[in-house]
């Protein structure tokens, strides 16, 4: 999959240009800094993205150079995600199908990042501090380091482990969705990562989500108000990457 991201990004600008857009309603969007106009600094990275579920793109909407691998990889990520939702439901003391039954695994958005070597890495970041807004993220990182996670006020490097996937998720603060960032790339080769985000994003989805009713009580009251996935995604798009987007919905 990472080779596919590299192949796409290392094509001539004239070839990539046809996919470049800032209209995120398009099937396949290749862009640089989705938050260019809201963020205080530009990040040293390009990204292509696509919603792979529940309505997969038509194969012809994907660039031939990474089409097959995107379709196959997202299928595998979907099965892994469904399995993880079962485990997480059990870990929360719920029926194993609980999170699947409320459609947490319904939508899948793929974000493929390409971080070119940065000539002045102390002046910017690859990805600014944020927490993911999906129910669950399956991240395939690169062997080139850069990813850091915030823990008790300190930034810790996430060491690259060959073949490992990093899992991130959102709950009523039972499992905390970690804040993380990526440093600008100091290597001589581009850094690549692939995030599979379980979310329907800005696509229509009337379901209302909030802290799971079975888990809240007088002693453990809801910490967040109920919202739609679209509201959360629209908030993130308007505000850009900036710390925890969920905070805005905290009661
Ligand atoms: O590139 C990475 O390792 C992380 C990217 C990331 O945090 C994201 O896409 O939300
Ligand atoms: Fe992230």
């Amino acid at each position: 999959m990472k080779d596919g991201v590299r192949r796409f990004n290392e094509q001539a600008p004239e070839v990539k240009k046809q996919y470049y857009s800032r209209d995120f309603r398009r099937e396949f969007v290749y862009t640089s800094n989705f938050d260019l106009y809201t963020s205080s600094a530009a990040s040293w990275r390009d990204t292509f993205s696509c919603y792979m579920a529940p309505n997969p793109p038509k194969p012809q909407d994907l660039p031939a150079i990474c089409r097959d691998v995107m379709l196959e990889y997202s299928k595998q990520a979907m099965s892994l995600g469904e399995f993880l939702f079962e485990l997480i439901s059990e870990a929360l003391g719920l029926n194993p199908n609980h999170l699947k039954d409320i459609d947490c695994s319904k939508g899948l958005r793929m974000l493929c990042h390409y971080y070119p070597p940065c000539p002045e890495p102390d002046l910017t970041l690859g990805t600014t501090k944020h927490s993911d807004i999906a129910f669950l993220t399956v991240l395939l990182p690169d062997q080139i380091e850069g990813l850091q996670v915030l823990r008790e006020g300190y930034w810790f490097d996430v060491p690259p482990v060959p073949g490992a996937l990093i899992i991130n998720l959102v709950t009523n603060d039972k499992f905390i969705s970690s804040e993380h960032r990526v440093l600008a790339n100091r290597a001589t080769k581009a850094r690549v990562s692939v995030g599979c985000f379980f979310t329907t994003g800005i696509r229509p989805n009337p379901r209302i989500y909030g802290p799971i009713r079975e888990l809240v009580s007088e002693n453990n009251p809801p910490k967040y108000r109920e919202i739609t996935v679209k509201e959360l995604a629209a908030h993130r798009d308007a505000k850009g990457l900036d710390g925890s987007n969920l905070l805005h919905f905290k009661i």
Side-chain angles (χ1 to χ4, degrees), residues 127 130-132 137 168 180 197:
T127 298
H130 68 285
S131 58
D132 295 347
T137 309
N168 219 342
H180 53 283
F197 296 83

Side-chain angles (χ1 to χ4, degrees), residues 185-237:
N185 186 3
R186 291 170 186 273
T188 47
K189 190 178 162 206
R191 177 182 184 276
V192 165
S193 71
V194 178
C196 281
F197 296 83
F198 284 86
T199 174
T200 45
I202 56 166
R203 298 258 154 124
N205 178 357
R207 209 182 245 282
I208 312 257
Y209 288 94
I212 296 169
R213 297 222 169 99
E214 288 79 346
L215 300 179
V216 294
S217 62
E218 227 172 285
N219 298 333
N220 179 28
K223 296 190 168 77
Y224 297 91
R225 65 179 176 83
E226 295 190 326
I227 48 169
T228 61
V229 171
K230 200 170 163 183
E231 247 180 292
L232 179 59
H235 172 72
R236 144 76 68 94
D237 287 349

